[in-house]
Amino acid sequence: MLAALENPQRAPPERILATAERAADLARRFPDLAIEVADAQRLGNLLPGAVHQGVALRPGELPEVDLESFEARPGAVLMMLDQVTDPQNVGAILRSAAAFGCAGVILQDRNAPQLTGALAKAAVGAVDKIPVARVVNLSRALDALADMGWRAVGLDGEAKVNLDQAMDGSPSVLVMGSEGAGLRRLVAEHCDVLAKIPMPGGFESLNVSAAAAIALYEASRPRP
């Protein structure tokens, strides 16, 4: 909630309700904020089943992000998600992306959740820290990014190359597919290289958000 209010790129909040104590605290931090004072019972009725901590916010819209806004500088990393539909997973990936200095995340218009509700809660403020671009077609987006100097590395558990060998310090897009199905064939064909996260323990796969965190850590390591 604080990340949304502090984000200068967001439109002003559409509505905010808070208990008297929280309203006073918010007014000190954001003196121009219009706050409706409400008791905890009213907030609970507005947000059934949610842990509201004394505040209910309907934030303003985030600005649209286009691919051209991502600068292809050495060491820069983007994350592209191919049909990862679970809001909790996408939110956790955004959180990891913020933690490891990712330049942005790319989602498809369809087959990807909106940046609200459970996703925003799982992201713990990262929705307002990481630029998120939405595109109609991931394969065409990879072609456009290639023209701008980005190299695509697709994550595939059957790949012959380990991820640390695939990363070379150039501007890179990590492309991750959904659990089970993995990368779709056409998306994989538009990657420059397919790589895997080595798992010496022999376990077959990881949750996609855990795999994304590992991949982002590896990609963020300095390289010659």
Side-chain angles (χ1 to χ4, degrees):
M1 185 269 295
L2 290 176
L5 293 176
E6 291 171 346
N7 184 358
Q9 303 302 316
R10 266 196 191 270
E14 296 180 13
R15 189 182 186 192
I16 182 166
L17 293 86
T19 60
E21 182 178 356
R22 292 304 306 276
D25 179 55
L26 288 170
R28 284 191 292 271
R29 300 184 66 166
F30 308 98
D32 297 327
L33 196 63
I35 306 169
E36 300 176 46
V37 177
D39 59 28
Q41 182 177 352
R42 184 183 175 197
L43 291 175
N45 292 336
L46 289 170
L47 303 169
V51 180
H52 55 71
Q53 298 181 327
V55 181
L57 171 69
R58 183 180 296 159
E61 292 292 324
L62 282 166
E64 292 186 3
V65 177
D66 55 33
L67 299 181
E68 288 74 16
S69 66
F70 298 129
E71 181 185 355
R73 53 178 176 75
V77 176
L78 295 172
M79 174 69 74
M80 176 182 281
L81 303 181
D82 180 16
Q83 296 195 321
V84 179
T85 59
D86 183 89
Q88 298 280 353
N89 279 332
V90 177
I93 290 169
L94 286 174
R95 188 177 183 184
S96 295
F100 290 110
C102 186
V105 174
I106 301 167
L107 306 176
Q108 197 174 15
D109 271 343
R110 298 175 295 107
N111 304 314
Q114 297 299 311
L115 305 182
T116 56
L119 187 159
K121 184 175 181 181
V124 196
V127 165
D128 286 275
K129 303 294 184 183
I130 290 291
V132 177
R134 287 186 176 268
V135 297
V136 173
N137 185 289
L138 296 182
S139 297
R140 287 201 294 267
L142 287 173
D143 286 341
L145 288 165
D147 290 341
M148 291 184 278
W150 293 90
R151 176 174 175 264
V153 180
L155 275 291
D156 182 349
E158 302 300 318
K160 304 300 183 184
V161 178
N162 287 343
L163 182 58
D164 64 326
Q165 299 168 323
M167 302 305 296
D168 62 3
S170 62
S172 300
V173 186
L174 295 177
V175 189
M176 303 201 65
S178 62
E179 292 182 54
L183 290 179
R184 288 175 295 165
R185 178 185 59 81
L186 194 58
V187 174
E189 289 175 355
H190 280 74
C191 293
D192 296 283
V193 62
L194 298 179
K196 66 182 178 182
I197 297 171
M199 299 184 196
F203 199 70
E204 290 186 0
S205 64
L206 294 169
N207 170 279
V208 65
S209 62
I214 294 169
L216 286 163
Y217 166 75
E218 179 59 49
S220 71
R221 290 198 304 114
R223 285 175 167 80

